[in-house]
């Protein structure tokens, strides 16, 4: 068996490698259960994503993590936690709630942890938080947020775009 360590594949070398794989498998299982059980996406498309989100050309470009993070953002904003793509204004509000602005680099907040737990995503919290933090860092300083750079959340497609 090989272990993927960034862009290099190597043999497992330590118990920590096995633990990282175990964590990753648990995260994948959690995201799959969220999509299938909570959102009912077992055999049908999600109605919230009937139109492709902004900056996504194909359905394959809509990552599980972006669906989950968008649902977390909706929940933090007081909604049910559906993955309906967000407007730019909603993204700005959600980022203010989900990220703790007291640090030089974006870090997830208690509101993030609470929203993830309410949606049954506790097992995936660390992975999802890292994804949002990295994406927010890449888009830092952009006002309004750019959907091409802030890829962790799904933005509503501009008016007049065609459904898939």
């Amino acid at each position: 068996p090989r272990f993927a360590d960034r862009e290099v594949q190597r043999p497992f070398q330590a118990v920590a490698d096995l633990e990282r794989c175990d964590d990753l498998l648990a995260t994948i299982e959690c995201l799959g259960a969220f999509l299938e059980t909570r959102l009912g996406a077992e055999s049908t498309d999600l109605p919230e994503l009937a139109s492709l989100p902004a900056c996504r050309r194909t359905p394959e470009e809509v990552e599980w993590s972006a669906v989950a993070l968008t649902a977390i953002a909706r929940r933090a904003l007081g909604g049910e936690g559906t993955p309906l793509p967000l407007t730019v204004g909603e993204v700005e509000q959600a980022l203010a709630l989900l990220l703790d602005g007291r640090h030089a680099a974006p870090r997830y907040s208690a509101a993030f942890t609470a929203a993830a737990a309410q949606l049954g995503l506790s097992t995936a919290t660390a992975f999802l938080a890292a994804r949002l933090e990295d994406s927010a860092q890449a888009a830092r300083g952009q006002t309004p947020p750019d959907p091409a750079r802030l890829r962790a959340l799904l933005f509503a497609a501009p008016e007049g775009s065609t459904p898939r």
Side-chain angles (χ1 to χ4, degrees):
R2 309 286 292 169
F3 179 72
D5 190 5
R6 294 184 185 90
E7 287 131 31
V8 177
Q9 288 193 13
R10 60 173 174 75
F12 289 94
Q13 297 173 344
V15 172
D17 292 345
L18 295 172
E19 289 170 349
R20 284 178 53 198
C21 280
D22 190 44
D23 289 346
L24 183 58
L25 291 172
T27 297
I28 291 168
E29 182 180 12
C30 179
L31 290 172
F34 173 73
L35 289 171
E36 290 180 2
T37 306
R38 175 100 179 163
L39 299 181
E42 293 173 9
S43 60
T44 60
D45 289 338
L46 295 171
E48 297 87 356
L49 300 176
S51 294
L52 283 173
C55 295
R56 302 310 207 273
R57 292 178 304 241
T58 66
E60 291 76 26
E61 289 185 23
V62 179
E63 305 91 350
W64 288 10
S65 60
V67 171
L69 284 165
T70 301
I72 289 170
R74 285 246 170 249
R75 186 71 189 129
L77 291 169
E80 293 294 316
T82 62
L84 184 67
L86 303 155
T87 65
V88 170
E90 290 170 328
V91 168
E92 290 175 322
Q93 290 173 351
L95 289 175
L97 291 169
L98 298 174
L99 296 174
D100 185 343
R102 297 174 294 171
H103 305 280
R107 293 212 181 125
Y108 72 100
S109 66
F112 182 99
T113 304
Q118 291 165 358
L119 295 174
L121 290 165
S122 293
T123 302
T125 296
F127 172 81
L128 292 170
R131 175 91 168 95
L132 183 60
E133 290 166 352
D134 290 348
S135 189
Q137 183 68 23
R140 195 172 194 126
Q142 294 181 329
T143 306
D146 180 1
R149 304 226 26 207
L150 186 63
R151 303 276 300 172
L153 295 171
L154 299 177
F155 285 69
E159 289 293 318
S161 59
T162 30
R164 62 179 162 115

